[in-house]
Each structure stands twice: as structure tokens, then as C-alpha cells.
Amino acid sequence: MFMDFRDQPPPPPWRPRLPEQRPPLSLRQQKALTLVVALNLLLLLIAPIGGATMVSAVIAWLF
């Protein structure tokens, strides 16, 4: 079926949405974010050591 679109105006040009402006973090939010980042950095150092210990314990248990 043929539809005649000659009388229709073209669509407006596409423009990306601008990012929303967020308010700055409060002091409580800054402290919480700092705590979360510090905990993640600490676990980044400790977790591989703990994982290696568990792997070696499983290998020692099997053999």
C-alpha cells in the first residue's frame, strides 16, 4: 500500500539531551563516598590474598 507523505513536514533535527546539573554533594554524602572508596581500595588489596589462601587450602585438602 502506498502512502503519500509529500505534504508532511520533515521531522526536526535530532539533538542529544544535555546532562542534568546535579547539586554538589553534602558533607555527609562526601564522607559516605570516601568511606566506600576507602573500603573498596582496602578490599582490592586484601581480597586477592584471601582468595589465594583459600585456593591453597583447597589444594592442600585435596592432595
Side-chain angles (χ1 to χ4, degrees), residues 1 4-5 8 11 14 20-21 24-25 27 30 41 45 48 52 60:
M1 178 179 195
D4 188 11
F5 290 112
Q8 299 293 323
W14 180 82
E20 297 177 8
Q21 296 293 330
L25 296 176
L27 184 61
Q30 288 176 4
L41 289 175
L45 297 173

Side-chain angles (χ1 to χ4, degrees), residues 5-61:
F5 290 112
R6 287 182 281 181
D7 294 335
Q8 299 293 323
W14 180 82
R15 292 189 182 131
R17 293 183 186 172
L18 296 175
E20 297 177 8
Q21 296 293 330
R22 295 184 179 158
L25 296 176
S26 68
L27 184 61
R28 183 176 180 192
Q29 290 172 328
Q30 288 176 4
K31 287 182 181 180
L33 184 61
T34 303
L35 180 66
V36 168
V37 170
L39 182 64
N40 279 325
L41 289 175
L42 181 66
L43 289 176
L44 181 67
L45 297 173
I46 293 176
I49 296 170
T53 304
M54 293 302 294
V55 169
S56 63
V58 169
I59 291 174
W61 182 62

